Amino acid sequence: MAASAAAPPAERGPFATGPGPAGAEEEEDGDEELLGAGGPRAWTPQEKLLHEARLKAKAKRRLRRTSSRDSARESLCEGTEPAPEPGSPKGRAHDRRSRTGKGRGLPKKGGAGGKGVWGAPGVVYGYQEPDARDPNYDEVAQVRPGPPSPQPPRGSGSSAGGGDIVLSPQGDTVYATVVPELEEGELEKNVQPMVLEYFEHGDTREVMELLRGLNLGARRAAVPALAVALALEGKASHRELTSRLLAELVARALAPEDIAWAFDKMLRDLPDLILDTPEAPQMLGQFIARAVADHALPQDFLERYKGRVGCEHARAALDRAAVLLRIKCDVNRLDNVWGVGGGQRPVKHLVKEMNLLLREYLLSGEVSEAEQCLRELEVPHFHHELVYEAVLMVLEGSGEGPVEKMVTLLKVLWESGLVTLDQMNRGFQRVYEELGDISLDVPLAHGLLERLVELCCERGVITRALRDACPARGRKRFVSEGDGGQVKP
């Protein structure tokens, strides 16, 4: 019963001992059904698993055969790199051909495409019109350069960066940078620091460069008026620098009529200027005379005001200018109307001024006037000359009056800070060094100097170290009988 239920084995050929390669090829085309004696039947699970194992083994054998054929080709072509598998990322790394499958298979852009590539040799790229639909498109920055316009009329539109849209004569839109005109408050805010700095360095070229960066417009005539107003409150050297600046402005930036407008405004504002500067009428007259001599004002400027001035201060200023021009009619420039400021003066002139200052002080005894005259000289580095001349004047004088007055003057100058410690010491040391030559003209110079130095030290004018440095009289000797018994130094 069991024997009849078992399926009879399939008949084999005379030389078929097992499924060989040929049989494996035939089994691949077989069906999942077996033909038995009673007809087709379904495979059992064990048979199905065995059939799948055979298919896997066949696939492995086929892969090994392919690998062996590739190795045989490599042995024939030694030294060449193996071609990458089609579809591998390594093969597409430096491929310049289109990957879309379209085209003739040529490299993109003639082989000049790709990241970090400048392009094909000899290719010159022209101007590329920007796309207005681009989200990064900037209408102001993406403007094609056009022909420059010297003074284009202002248009209706403007940008926040100072570029105004203007229309050129050809009808093209041109973007030009236009600096807005300064307002009245902004003018004083920008020009006043500029003029005050000019008083320190005295370089007119720097002032010109700064003024070119401002759009003064119709208010350019207010610059000379502001400079003169600041100079009236300053020193004589500041007024000299202002006169030079006016001459430079006429030559480069302003017209004589602009300077005339500025002085006309100053003449009308004299009642207010006198409140801060009582000498404003005389100073303004000197400014006018200097400007006429420098050709910064028209020659007929004073003629315009004849019989038309009602303010007494303005008349005083115009009269002052007329007198100066009449005196200096043969001189082209009134260079000395303000004097030569500060260290630009010759040394001989400064020594003469200090001598006159001291002589007037000895006659009048007014310390404040002498102090004011010394300040007006504007030579703080040369104040040691005043100390030297004061001590020398005491040694050459006679009596106790000059000694007391000079000590009083030096004490006031020392306490006010006008003469510094260094200048005071330097002045006395110069006298110490030249005392031998001074004694030839003044035999009693040693005794007078010792008394002056001792008095100055008691008043606190000089230090004890400077007093101890004073040279003492040499050893006394008695002369022979023929000298009458006199003691010579």
Side-chain angles (χ1 to χ4, degrees):
M1 189 71 181
S4 60
E11 295 183 359
R12 299 174 181 263
F15 301 102
T17 58
E25 296 290 340
E26 294 175 358
E27 289 176 4
E28 183 179 0
D29 298 334
D31 197 0
E32 291 186 358
E33 294 182 352
L34 296 177
L35 296 178
R41 67 178 182 85
W43 286 358
T44 61
Q46 293 78 6
E47 293 174 344
K48 189 173 181 179
L49 291 174
L50 180 62
H51 181 65
E52 291 177 356
R54 290 177 178 175
L55 292 179
K56 291 180 181 180
K58 181 178 65 176
K60 292 181 180 180
R61 290 194 297 272
R62 183 178 299 174
L63 181 60
R64 285 196 294 270
R65 287 197 300 270
T66 305
S67 300
S68 63
R69 285 195 294 271
D70 293 341
S71 61
R73 293 193 189 96
E74 291 178 0
S75 62
L76 294 177
C77 302
E78 290 184 356
T80 59
E81 295 182 359
E85 297 182 7
S88 65
K90 184 177 181 181
R92 297 195 302 267
H94 304 285
D95 187 14
R96 294 288 184 262
R97 291 177 175 81
S98 175
R99 300 174 187 174
T100 59
K102 299 180 181 179
R104 296 176 296 170
L106 299 177
K108 296 185 295 182
K109 299 183 181 180
K115 182 179 180 181
V117 180
W118 287 92
V123 176
V124 179
Y125 296 97
Y127 176 75
Q128 184 178 2
E129 190 71 26
D131 189 5
R133 296 173 295 178
D134 189 355
N136 297 326
Y137 176 77
D138 188 0
E139 184 180 359
V140 177
Q142 303 290 342
V143 176
R144 298 185 63 178
S149 179
Q151 291 183 354
R154 299 193 62 171
S156 57
S158 61
S159 62
D164 287 2
I165 304 176
V166 298
L167 296 177
S168 64
Q170 293 80 8
D172 300 332
T173 302
V174 180
Y175 288 82
T177 302
V178 179
V179 181
E181 183 177 344
L182 290 179
E183 302 292 338
E184 185 176 358
E186 296 178 353
L187 177 66
E188 184 176 355
K189 181 180 179 181
N190 287 271
V191 177
Q192 183 173 354
M194 190 186 309
V195 175
L196 293 177
E197 186 178 357
Y198 166 69
F199 290 160
E200 299 296 331
H201 58 72
D203 189 358
T204 56
R205 292 178 297 178
E206 182 176 348
V207 178
M208 294 299 170
E209 293 296 331
L210 295 175
L211 289 177
R212 289 193 185 100
L214 302 176
N215 185 6
L216 300 175
R219 294 182 175 83
R220 61 180 180 272
V223 175
L226 181 59
V228 172
L230 293 175
L232 291 178
E233 301 176 359
K235 306 176 183 178
S237 59
H238 297 168
R239 293 187 280 274
E240 173 66 22
L241 291 173
T242 304
S243 296
R244 296 180 186 178
L245 180 62
L246 295 181
E248 293 292 334
L249 286 174
V250 172
R252 300 182 182 181
L254 302 180
E257 293 300 330
D258 296 328
I259 305 295
W261 183 92
F263 277 106
D264 182 74
K265 180 179 182 300
M266 298 290 293
L267 289 172
R268 286 186 274 106
D269 295 343
L270 267 178
D272 297 333
L273 296 175
I274 290 178
L275 299 178
D276 297 330
T277 310
E279 302 85 4
Q282 290 76 20
M283 293 181 182
L284 189 58
Q286 294 177 207
F287 268 115
I288 293 174
R290 176 67 178 273
V292 172
D294 291 343
H295 304 286
L297 280 176
Q299 296 294 331
D300 60 341
F301 179 77
L302 297 178
E303 301 294 333
R304 303 177 184 179
Y305 292 92
K306 280 189 175 181
R308 301 180 181 178
V309 180
C311 179
E312 58 177 351
H313 303 297
R315 284 200 303 269
L318 295 173
D319 292 342
R320 175 67 173 171
V323 170
L324 291 175
L325 291 173
R326 193 179 305 115
I327 295 175
K328 301 290 184 177
C329 59
D330 296 333
V331 182
N332 294 328
R333 296 174 61 91
L334 295 173
D335 291 333
N336 295 327
V337 68
W338 303 115
V340 182
Q344 299 179 359
R345 299 185 180 186
V347 175
K348 292 183 179 180
H349 177 75
L350 291 174
V351 173
K352 183 180 178 180
E353 291 289 336
M354 290 184 178
N355 269 310
L356 292 175
L357 182 154
L358 293 173
R359 294 183 186 279
E360 290 180 1
Y361 166 70
L362 291 178
L363 294 175
S364 63
E366 296 182 2
V367 180
S368 59
E369 183 178 356
E371 183 180 358
Q372 180 64 25
C373 293
L374 184 61
R375 291 183 185 274
E376 291 179 356
L377 289 178
E378 299 181 19
V379 282
H381 60 282
F382 202 61
H383 286 174
H384 62 86
E385 180 67 25
L386 178 73
V387 179
Y388 172 80
E389 294 293 337
V391 176
L392 191 61
M393 196 171 293
V394 170
L395 298 181
E396 294 177 352
S398 59
E400 295 294 332
V403 177
E404 292 291 338
K405 288 186 177 180
M406 286 303 178
V407 173
T408 303
L409 176 63
L410 293 178
K411 181 176 177 60
V412 172
L413 297 179
W414 165 258
E415 292 178 350
S416 63
L418 193 58
V419 177
T420 61
L421 177 63
D422 179 67
Q423 298 291 323
M424 188 73 71
N425 292 343
R426 188 175 178 185
F428 275 92
Q429 288 171 359
R430 287 178 59 191
V431 177
Y432 295 168
E433 294 172 0
E434 300 178 7
L435 188 58
D437 297 334
I438 296 173
S439 299
L440 298 178
D441 299 329
V442 184
L444 301 179
H446 281 86
L448 294 174
L449 181 60
E450 290 178 359
R451 186 161 59 253
L452 176 64
V453 169
E454 189 67 30
L455 189 57
C456 289
C457 184
E458 292 176 1
R459 301 282 184 88
V461 177
I462 62 175
T463 60
R464 290 186 177 182
L466 186 61
R467 181 198 62 179
D468 297 339
C470 179
R473 180 180 300 180
R475 182 177 61 85
K476 298 180 182 180
R477 69 179 180 88
F478 292 94
V479 297
S480 61
E481 299 177 356
D483 293 334
Q486 296 180 358
V487 178
K488 293 186 178 180

